Amino acid sequence: MSRQIKSIRGMHDILPEQTGAWQWFEAQVRETLSSYGYQEIRMPIVEQTDLFARSIGEVTDIVEKEMYTFEDRNGDSLTLRPEGTAGCVRAGVENGLLHNQQQRLWYAGPMFRHERPQKGRYRQFHQIGVEAFGMEGPDIDAELILLTARLWRRLGLRNVRLEINTLGSSEARAAYREHLVDYFKAHAEVLDDDARQRLETNPLRILDSKNPQMRAMIQEAPSLLDHLDASSREHFEQLQCLLRAADVPFTINPRLVRGLDYYCRTVFEWITDALGAQGTVCAGGRYDGLVEQLGGRHTPAAGFAMGIERLLSLLEADGGLPMAPSPHVYLMLAGEGTGSAGVELSEQLRDQFPGLRLQMNCGGGGFKAQMRRADRSGAQLALILGETELAEGRVTVKPLREGQTEQHTVTQEALAHHLAQALDLATAETRPTEND
Ligand code: ATP
Ligand code: MG
């Protein structure tokens, strides 16, 4: 045997036993977003490296140490996207979607960061991202938060709480930065290496540190909320009013700064205590300067991204996830001529009942082996088409689960009626809605 090739560390297969939950989750997200008027956009997974360096910021964890960057055959520097906002803005500018327009967009897909793999932290992970362009007031910030709150209710997700903060205008932040640097310099002995570096390049990020030794010192640091410009303060107050009016509880966390450079004014995170240090399941904020920074006209914008793996493991811990549906029916075929009759019968039933999940036995096998497959498939009913049944134009219906009626043999005409009743199936003509 030749050597087995393994997947890349931190990058995982999503197996059939899990995809049911993923599809269910994605469907809830899609429907919720659609109910607020958001439209899907699909961007490439690879972009020019510059795009991320210019948007996320040169001195951030992502750009400094987490990007998958490589040279392609032309010698261009390309990067697997570590997040979606930059690509979404690039696409919006390039396709003329943003200038003088409002857009409500979302996307879903894999993101890539070279981090230390652990539970809730992977090198390929999946996000749903939502971005709103062309709206500058706190109403859209509130909408983004309300739609996530609605999504949590729909998913049955408890155990998450909302933290919000404001980063103010870039001028206010620059003034605050000086106070902060003074404060950190006065506490230089507590700073770790990372923080000492950040002191020169990006002191606000020190507030975001997860080092427990620095926690007390950070708690006492001056607060940006005391240095806000008037219009950012008003924006933030209005946002709070809107959230209160909608009955969405929140706490203000003045240390919440987010790890990417492009945010201004509102930032927020949905956090859980149930996933250890990987507690942020959804995070975002306003980024009014980014479109211009990436070559477009000034366009106010706000958005967020949620991590699908973290949300699914939270939902799982919280009481289980739906599986992909099993077939309704497993068709067993035994004897001369039943192969082609089976294909014919299956196709006819699928024509008649578009919602029917029918798995036909393929690859032969004796009665016992087929019975085992039928049982393992999870089907409710086995249909048996043997030589006797074939000769009489009949089919045997064998219930596979407890609490069902006895095995019996019906004509092929009666079968359709029986299946419709037993499985509560709608026929092609009368089918009112897609319910599967
Ligand atoms: P963290 O502080 O946990 O590193 P982050 O601030 O880097 O998160 P964002 O860039 O805001 O995360 O991404 C939004 C969401 O994507 C996160 O809240 C999280 O749910 C998810 N996420 C981010 N990085 C990873 C990862 N490496 N593996 C799995 N999910 C991730
Ligand atoms: Mg991170």
Side-chain angles (χ1 to χ4, degrees):
M1 258 202 310
S2 50
R3 189 177 63 88
Q4 196 186 338
I5 297 173
K6 296 277 175 58
S7 68
I8 293 166
R9 197 163 117 82
M11 304 199 182
H12 297 284
D13 302 305
I14 300 164
L15 299 174
E17 64 183 40
Q18 303 165 300
T19 48
W22 282 69
Q23 288 172 359
W24 166 78
F25 177 86
E26 286 159 0
Q28 308 308 308
V29 172
R30 239 191 338 266
E31 284 171 29
T32 303
L33 286 165
S34 165
S35 79
Y36 283 79
Y38 287 72
Q39 288 184 306
E40 186 180 5
I41 180 168
R42 301 189 183 195
M43 297 89 64
I45 285 172
V46 184
E47 299 271 2
Q48 293 190 37
T49 302
D50 270 356
L51 175 69
F52 302 114
R54 256 164 73 183
S55 56
I56 298 168
E58 295 278 1
V59 283
T60 54
D61 282 349
I62 293 180
V63 174
E64 276 176 343
K65 32 185 195 203
E66 296 175 358
M67 293 208 301
Y68 278 90
T69 297
F70 61 97
E71 252 187 32
D72 77 354
R73 286 168 192 277
N74 303 328
D76 297 331
S77 179
L78 306 184
T79 293
L80 299 184
R81 62 181 187 193
E83 55 99 54
T85 304
C88 186
V89 170
R90 198 261 320 128
V93 172
E94 188 169 341
N95 294 288
L97 305 182
L98 305 185
H99 182 51
N100 274 339
Q101 294 170 70
Q102 294 189 344
Q103 292 286 353
R104 287 177 165 84
L105 303 175
W106 69 273
Y107 48 83
M111 305 293 161
F112 302 84
R113 298 184 193 176
H114 197 277
E115 302 196 68
R116 194 168 68 77
Q118 53 196 292
K119 188 165 168 45
R121 197 173 289 286
Y122 311 100
R123 291 182 172 175
Q124 173 172 336
F125 62 100
H126 298 77
Q127 285 185 339
I128 308 260
V130 180
E131 319 284 356
F133 296 98
M135 290 157 271
E136 113 189 287
D139 47 358
I140 189 70
D141 303 12
E143 178 179 289
L144 290 167
I145 291 172
L146 295 188
L147 82 80
T148 45
R150 180 174 300 279
L151 177 64
W152 307 152
R153 289 198 296 276
R154 183 170 183 159
L155 294 168
L157 183 72
R158 289 158 298 187
N159 293 328
V160 284
R161 58 193 156 77
L162 173 65
E163 291 190 353
I164 62 173
N165 190 24
T166 178
L167 302 179
S169 66
S170 51
E171 297 77 33
R173 225 165 34 250
Y176 168 64
R177 188 187 151 120
E178 286 179 24
H179 292 282
L180 202 58
V181 170
D182 290 345
Y183 174 82
F184 286 139
K185 280 191 175 151
H187 295 81
E189 74 289 351
V190 202
L191 298 179
D192 60 17
D193 289 348
D194 218 34
R196 270 196 203 104
Q197 261 181 9
R198 293 261 140 84
L199 194 56
E200 307 300 324
T201 52
N202 196 346
L204 254 73
R205 287 297 314 286
I206 299 175
L207 296 174
D208 206 23
S209 165
K210 285 168 184 136
N211 182 349
Q213 259 97 54
M214 288 172 33
R215 192 167 299 149
M217 183 274 296
I218 287 173
Q219 279 301 324
E220 297 300 314
S223 169
L224 177 55
L225 296 176
D226 299 328
H227 299 269
L228 277 186
D229 53 297
S231 73
S232 292
R233 184 187 306 280
E234 196 184 319
H235 187 105
F236 194 46
E237 271 159 18
Q238 282 173 4
L239 171 65
Q240 294 173 48
C241 283
L242 291 168
L243 293 178
R244 278 193 207 99
D247 261 337
V248 175
F250 59 87
T251 54
I252 297 174
N253 174 1
R255 319 281 163 223
L256 183 67
V257 292
R258 310 280 312 117
L260 304 88
D261 270 2
Y262 49 61
Y263 288 110
C264 63
R265 292 198 168 168
T266 309
V267 288
F268 66 91
E269 289 192 356
W270 288 94
I271 300 170
T272 176
D273 297 318
L275 298 177
Q278 275 57 254
T280 305
V281 293
C282 174
R286 178 162 282 281
Y287 52 93
D288 292 337
L290 184 61
V291 176
E292 216 170 348
Q293 202 175 312
L294 292 177
R297 309 271 192 95
H298 175 78
T299 306
F304 66 81
M306 58 181 103
I308 303 184
E309 285 86 351
R310 288 188 197 174
L311 283 163
L312 287 179
S313 68
L314 195 54
L315 283 164
E316 193 173 19
D318 212 30
L321 285 166
M323 301 274 286
S326 306
H328 293 115
V329 172
Y330 190 95
L331 176 59
M332 295 166 53
L333 306 169
E336 207 37 53
T338 57
S340 66
V343 170
E344 210 176 300
L345 176 62
S346 305
E347 289 302 303
Q348 189 192 321
L349 288 171
R350 291 191 184 101
D351 283 345
Q352 224 167 340
F353 303 110
L356 174 66
R357 294 187 297 276
L358 182 154
Q359 196 167 316
M360 188 185 76
N361 187 73
C362 286
F367 187 81
K368 261 196 172 156
Q370 292 197 34
M371 201 59 223
R372 245 192 333 264
R373 288 179 201 149
D375 194 46
R376 253 188 233 146
S377 77
Q380 296 290 307
L381 302 173
L383 300 182
I384 305 166
L385 188 60
E387 282 176 30
T388 326
E389 283 91 352
L390 186 61
E392 295 172 353
R394 291 168 168 262
V395 180
T396 297
V397 180
K398 183 177 168 53
L400 296 172
R401 309 295 150 200
E402 270 174 37
Q404 293 177 320
T405 50
E406 298 277 284
Q407 168 172 332
H408 56 288
T409 303
V410 294
T411 62
Q412 290 199 7
E413 290 78 67
L415 177 65
H417 182 69
H418 178 79
L419 290 181
Q421 288 223 312
L423 302 171
D424 198 19
L425 293 171
T427 56
E429 293 79 28
T430 60
R431 200 162 61 112
T433 51
E434 185 80 58
N435 54 9
D436 275 301

